[in-house]
């Protein structure tokens, strides 16, 4: 039986397996052994294993959130939030999203919306995702999660909470606080604020390592930015958890170790990558590396915020959300891009356009024009994050090749 | 294509208004024209005739709201600079086009109105404050009494349209604060089938085209449709709060997660219509996410449903004709059976 059939047709088997302690332990031992040397991947998979165990657990509360919803408020309640957008990318990386994408057309009657969300809908309809108790979405970076969560609610149930994203710290903080206390009430949690404080300490600790990673990358290229495009899932998922601390510490240590061992890459062409990148298997990045071109920094990694204030958790979480400038307004994206091009000494910018992503794609031609006017060679590439059928690889290579020649 | 302006006088009105000034343009049904009128300007819904987007393609990717792309196309082709315009974060396309227009200098005065997705008490209060800020921005101060009088006036317009019957252009009387009134029906066909038109934005020409195929639109449920005809009530004490609540809680926008009011409306009108046509504007996320579900619900009401997908240009008229004609035939068959 193929893995695809197992996932889509025998999912109950998987769900009962991951719930069994010996299987869980076996998987853990396997991951530890297989990725003994690759510690960063090991932490990611151990986190994924615990997440899967949690979301298929019989008694656990299932919560789906979008990428910018603050994960801290869920870890404080001992909830592993499921980020379906990340899961959609993960399934694509495993080559398992096709069936879900096809299935989504039965729900939407249309394939003109973001493929990541089409994947989410297909995975929900095919019951790969658990039945959610709560679906929480922040209105940034886009409205798609709200719409897809609404359909998931129709398909499988759950209650929706929306956090409105206005640049008004007080209003935003009050919304986060209201949702948090609503959840504590529903879950019968009494010491909500104390739990949140503990989680904020973990979030800050992880953030310190994350900042170190960014700093180290200013001076050294030790791995291609494609890896960091893949780590975006962790960046959005794990702040506030012990895995957040472990992941970013391990990543920092890995980069330091490569620097110490002299495993430094000297790219011929240094690229800054805007938006996320394709998650399915493609040789595009290897092809770029073979030409001496490496991604030295990415928009998805350039999220930053002030350390969270343990005494004002909701206000500081609100500030964090307001400070997320990646995938933000045209003005912010240009500003962040120019800063990063300078900081990471990039020779050019690749702006990736995700099919169906209105918020990301509408301003891209103007962003490109502005960057070019500022003396930064830039190119817009139309493609897809999760649907390889909508990714004209050879055409993209031809365009990038010409672009690299211009830069050189 | 026949010269649209000759048939739809609104396009000529819009053009004249843009030339003469004194207006505030808007493109989203969350913008209350009452606020614009009360602040001393004429509200002007920006709806241009469909154009092939040759200039727009140079500036924007293809896959976002064709209605907004069409407005862009008209602006680019005619080198327009809008005097004042309000854009909103009603949808992702609208939110981003605000930033692009600021960058491109499409207007000297672009106001961004933030609209909460939620409609609870706090959200209503937040939006009321936003509306006050908008009023101040346009007028320089707050004139509560003037707003109350303006709401009186708009309610009278709503009553009038409901009394005289909603036709495809009469809603513009409300949307412009009765600045535009020339909306006589000059159709030269005699439709036998009445439908409920569900959409977000659609080209006005679509209504005329349906008419030519024997279909009369009995009710328009779109961004700027019949759902704006409910009266605003109890507004004398705090008009900003009441207007905020009215616009956040009404049925009109398809982005709303609760579609119950919309379904109730269709049920209420069921006896007066033969079916429902859903005009799906390509790349309109709020509508695409809702339309398949709405379609299924409407079917359970024993109403025939036809979905037409278009990019605001009505470029595939032949295909649309074939599908509408088949739909009309099906309705005739149903009538025969029910007799």
């Amino acid at each position: 039986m193929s893995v695809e059939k197992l996932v889509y047709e025998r999912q109950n088997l998987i769900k009962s397996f991951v719930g069994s302690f010996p299987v869980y332990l076996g998987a853990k031992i396997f991951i530890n052994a297989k990725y003994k040397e690759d510690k960063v991947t090991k932490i990611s998979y151990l986190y994924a294993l615990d997440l899967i165990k949690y979301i298929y657990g019989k008694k656990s509360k299932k919560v789906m959130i979008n990428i910018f919803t603050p994960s801290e408020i869920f870890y404080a309640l001992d909830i592993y939030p499921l980020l379906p957008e990340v899961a959609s990318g993960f399934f694509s990386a495993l080559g398992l999203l096709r069936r879900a994408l096809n299935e989504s057309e039965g729900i939407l009657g249309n394939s003109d919306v973001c493929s990541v969300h089409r994947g989410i809908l297909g995975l929900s309809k095919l019951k790969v995702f658990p039945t959610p108790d709560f679906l929480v979405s922040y209105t940034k970076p886009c409205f798609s999660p709200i719409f897809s969560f609404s359909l998931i609610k129709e398909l499988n149930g759950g209650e929706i909470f929306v956090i409105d994203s206005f640049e008004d710290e007080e209003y935003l903080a009050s919304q986060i606080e209201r949702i948090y206390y609503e959840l504590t009430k529903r879950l019968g949690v009494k010491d909500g604020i104390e739990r949140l404080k503990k989680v904020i300490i973990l979030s800050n600790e992880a953030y310190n390592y994350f900042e170190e990673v960014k700093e180290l990358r200013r001076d050294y290229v030790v791995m291609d930015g494609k890896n960091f495009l893949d780590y975006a899932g962790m960046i959005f998922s794990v702040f506030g958890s012990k895995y957040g601390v472990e992941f970013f510490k391990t990543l920092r240590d890995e980069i330091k170790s490569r620097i110490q061992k002299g495993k430094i890459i000297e790219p011929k062409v240094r690229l800054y990558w805007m938006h996320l990148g394709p998650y399915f298997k493609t040789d595009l990045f290897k092809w770029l590396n073979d030409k001496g071109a490496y991604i030295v920094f990415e928009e998805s990694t350039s999220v930053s915020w002030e350390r969270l204030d343990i005494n004002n958790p909701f206000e500081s979480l609100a500030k964090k959300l307001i400070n997320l400038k990646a995938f933000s307004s045209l003005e912010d994206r240009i500003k962040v891009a120019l800063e990063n091009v300078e900081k990471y000494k990039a020779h050019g910018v690749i702006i990736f356009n995700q099919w169906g992503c209105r918020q990301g794609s509408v301003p891209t031609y103007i962003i490109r024009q502005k960057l070019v006017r500022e003396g930064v060679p830039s190119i817009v590439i139309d493609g897809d994050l999760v649907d390889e059928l909508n990714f004209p690889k050879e055409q993209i290579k031809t365009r990038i090749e010409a672009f690299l020649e211009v830069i050189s | 294509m026949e010269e649209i302006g000759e048939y739809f006088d609104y396009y000529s009105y819009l053009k004249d208004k843009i030339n003469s000034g004194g207006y505030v343009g808007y493109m989203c049904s969350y913008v209350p024209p009452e606020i614009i009128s009360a602040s001393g300007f004429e509200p002007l819904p920006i709806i241009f005739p469909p154009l092939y987007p040759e200039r727009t393609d140079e500036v924007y990717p293809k896959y976002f709201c064709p209605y907004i792309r069409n407005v862009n196309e008209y602006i680019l082709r005619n080198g327009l600079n809008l005097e004042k315009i309000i854009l909103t974060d009603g949808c992702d396309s609208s939110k981003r086009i605000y930033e692009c227009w600021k960058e491109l200098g499409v207007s000297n005065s672009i106001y961004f109105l933030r609209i909460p997705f939620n409609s609870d008490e706090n959200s209503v209060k937040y939006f009321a404050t936003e509306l006050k800020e908008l009023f101040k921005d346009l007028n320089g101060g707050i004139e509560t009494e003037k707003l109350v009088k303006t709401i009186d006036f708009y309610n009278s317009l709503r009553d009038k349209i409901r009394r005289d019957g909603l036709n495809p252009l009469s809603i513009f009387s409300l949307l412009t604060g009765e600045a535009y009134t020339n909306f006589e029906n000059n159709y030269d066909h005699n439709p036998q089938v009445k439908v409920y038109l569900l959409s977000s934005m659609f080209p006005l020409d679509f209504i005329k085209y349906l008419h030519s195929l024997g279909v009369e639109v009995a009710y328009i449920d779109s961004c700027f449709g019949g759902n704006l005809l409910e009266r605003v009530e109890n507004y004398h004490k705090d008009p900003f709060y009441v207007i905020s609540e009215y616009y956040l809680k009404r049925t009109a926008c398809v982005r709303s997660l609760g579609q119950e009011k919309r379904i109730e409306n269709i049920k209420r009108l069921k006896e007066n219509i033969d079916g429902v046509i859903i005009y799906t504007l390509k790349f309109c996320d709020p509508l695409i996410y809702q339309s398949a579900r709405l379609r299924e619900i409407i079917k359970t009401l024993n109403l025939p449903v036809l979905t037409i997908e278009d990019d605001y240009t009505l470029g595939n008229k032949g295909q649309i004709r074939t599908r509408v004609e088949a739909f009309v035939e099906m309705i005739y068959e149903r009538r025969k059976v029910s007799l």
Side-chain angles (χ1 to χ4, degrees), chain A residues 16-60:
Chain A
S16 59
F17 265 153
V18 291
S20 121
F21 184 70
V23 173
Y24 169 74
L25 194 65
K28 214 166 179 172
I29 292 167
F30 172 77
I31 292 169
N32 275 310
K34 178 153 189 199
Y35 298 101
K36 198 176 170 188
E37 300 306 318
D38 184 357
K39 289 174 187 160
V40 179
T41 306
K42 185 173 79 180
I43 301 288
S44 312
Y45 281 175
L46 288 174
Y47 157 73
L49 180 68
D50 272 357
L51 173 67
I52 292 167
K53 180 171 176 259
Y54 176 87
I55 61 170
Y56 291 135
K58 281 185 184 139
K59 289 180 185 166
S60 60

Side-chain angles (χ1 to χ4, degrees), chain A residues 76-92:
Chain A
L77 300 171
D78 294 329
I79 291 170
Y80 272 72
L82 169 64
L83 281 77
E85 289 154 310
V86 173
S88 189
F90 186 64
F91 271 78
S92 172

Side-chain angles (χ1 to χ4, degrees), chain A residues 365, chain B residues 50-62 66 69-70 72-74 76-78 311 313:
Chain A
Y365 292 5
Chain B
L51 298 166
Y52 183 77
E54 56 191 31
R55 297 284 306 278
T56 303
D57 283 350
E58 294 166 14
V59 191
Y60 304 102
K62 287 185 186 299
R69 280 167 55 83
N70 192 67
N72 271 285
E73 183 65 24
Y74 193 90
L76 289 172
R77 281 199 199 182
N78 294 283
D311 61 357
T313 63

Side-chain angles (χ1 to χ4, degrees), chain A residues 112 162 164 178 358-359 382, chain B residues 63 96 117-118 282 285:
Chain A
D112 281 342
V162 175
D164 273 308
R178 206 166 54 248
R358 323 289 176 224
Q359 73 80 23
D382 290 309
Chain B
Y63 37 90
R96 291 295 177 239
F117 226 99
N118 294 305
K282 209 166 168 57
D285 281 350

Side-chain angles (χ1 to χ4, degrees), chain A residues 278-305:
Chain A
Y279 286 105
F280 45 84
K281 281 192 175 57
T282 168
D283 67 352
L284 176 74
F285 296 97
K286 187 180 174 300
W287 174 85
L288 273 171
N289 296 164
D290 289 345
K291 293 188 169 301
Y294 284 80
I295 299 166
V296 291
F297 206 64
E298 325 71 36
E299 189 178 30
S300 55
T301 315
S302 71
V303 286
S304 53
W305 54 87

Side-chain angles (χ1 to χ4, degrees), chain A residues 107-110 112-113 117 121 139 141-144 146-148 150-151 154 160 162 164 166 168 171 175 178 327-331 353-356 358-359 361-366 369-370 382, chain B residues 57-65 89-93 95-97 99-100 102-104 114-118 120 122-123 126 254-255 257 280 282-286 288-293 309:
Chain A
I107 307 166
L108 295 166
N110 198 306
D112 281 342
V113 302
H117 286 274
L121 289 171
T139 50
C142 66
F143 292 151
S144 295
I146 301 174
F147 299 134
S148 60
S150 161
L151 289 179
E154 291 296 321
I160 295 188
V162 175
D164 273 308
F166 305 123
D168 179 330
Y171 183 64
Q175 291 182 81
R178 206 166 54 248
F327 319 130
S328 182
S329 69
L330 182 147
E331 203 179 335
N353 254 353
Q354 150 70 350
W355 167 257
R358 323 289 176 224
Q359 73 80 23
S361 66
V362 174
T364 47
Y365 292 5
I366 297 173
Q369 282 169 5
K370 285 282 281 184
D382 290 309
Chain B
D57 283 350
E58 294 166 14
V59 191
Y60 304 102
K62 287 185 186 299
Y63 37 90
F64 78 99
C65 174
D89 55 359
C91 65
D92 285 320
S93 295
K95 189 160 58 176
R96 291 295 177 239
I97 213 68
E99 296 151 10
C100 296
K102 257 200 329 183
E103 191 61 41
L104 297 174
R114 294 177 179 86
I115 302 156
F117 226 99
N118 294 305
D120 58 2
N122 286 335
S123 305
Y126 182 89
V254 281
R255 81 170 195 164
L257 298 184
T280 305
K282 209 166 168 57
F283 307 128
C284 172
D285 281 350
I288 294 172
Y289 276 103
Q290 298 284 5
S291 65
R293 184 159 70 95
E309 190 185 272

Side-chain angles (χ1 to χ4, degrees), chain A residues 1-238:
Chain A
M1 181 180 281
S2 69
V3 178
E4 198 217 29
K5 276 199 165 180
L6 191 68
V7 168
Y8 286 108
E9 292 168 25
R10 295 280 187 274
Q11 53 206 224
N12 284 338
L13 206 65
I14 299 178
K15 287 172 190 171
S16 59
F17 265 153
V18 291
S20 121
F21 184 70
V23 173
Y24 169 74
L25 194 65
K28 214 166 179 172
I29 292 167
F30 172 77
I31 292 169
N32 275 310
K34 178 153 189 199
Y35 298 101
K36 198 176 170 188
E37 300 306 318
D38 184 357
K39 289 174 187 160
V40 179
T41 306
K42 185 173 79 180
I43 301 288
S44 312
Y45 281 175
L46 288 174
Y47 157 73
L49 180 68
D50 272 357
L51 173 67
I52 292 167
K53 180 171 176 259
Y54 176 87
I55 61 170
Y56 291 135
K58 281 185 184 139
K59 289 180 185 166
S60 60
K61 286 285 173 197
K62 281 77 173 171
V63 181
M64 288 186 181
I65 65 172
N66 81 319
I67 53 168
F68 278 3
T69 299
S71 52
E72 288 89 345
I73 59 173
F74 304 99
Y75 288 118
L77 300 171
D78 294 329
I79 291 170
Y80 272 72
L82 169 64
L83 281 77
E85 289 154 310
V86 173
S88 189
F90 186 64
F91 271 78
S92 172
L94 297 174
L96 295 173
L97 199 66
R98 176 60 38 211
R99 195 186 288 203
L101 288 170
N102 292 342
E103 194 67 25
S104 71
E105 291 195 27
I107 307 166
L108 295 166
N110 198 306
S111 58
D112 281 342
V113 302
C114 173
S115 51
V116 172
H117 286 274
R118 281 167 43 218
I120 291 172
L121 289 171
L123 290 166
S124 292
K125 188 173 181 214
L126 293 163
K127 308 285 181 200
V128 175
F129 286 158
T131 299
D133 293 289
F134 306 108
L135 303 120
V136 187
S137 183
Y138 182 45
T139 50
K140 271 185 183 172
C142 66
F143 292 151
S144 295
I146 301 174
F147 299 134
S148 60
F149 284 6
S150 161
L151 289 179
I152 292 172
K153 181 190 162 190
E154 291 296 321
L155 286 168
N156 298 337
E159 191 178 344
I160 295 188
F161 294 93
V162 175
I163 303 172
D164 273 308
S165 63
F166 305 123
E167 311 287 298
D168 179 330
E169 192 187 307
E170 200 181 321
Y171 183 64
L172 193 47
S174 73
Q175 291 182 81
I176 300 168
E177 185 171 3
R178 206 166 54 248
I179 288 176
Y180 184 67
Y181 282 118
E182 188 59 40
L183 292 176
T184 55
K185 202 167 79 185
R186 305 277 185 95
L187 299 172
V189 171
K190 296 249 164 32
D191 54 344
I193 199 70
E194 290 311 310
R195 283 166 170 249
L196 195 53
K197 283 180 178 177
K198 284 180 192 162
V199 159
I200 279 184
I201 293 170
L202 288 176
S203 183
N204 281 340
E205 199 180 337
Y207 186 74
N208 290 340
Y209 291 123
F210 181 46
E211 280 296 301
E212 272 193 72
V213 166
K214 288 193 268 184
E215 278 305 305
L216 288 167
R217 291 184 70 197
R218 283 179 74 158
D219 299 320
Y220 304 98
V221 180
V222 293
M223 55 177 83
D224 185 31
K226 160 63 178 154
N227 294 288
F228 288 85
L229 292 176
D230 292 342
Y231 299 153
M234 294 300 277
I235 293 171
F236 298 131
S237 307
V238 295

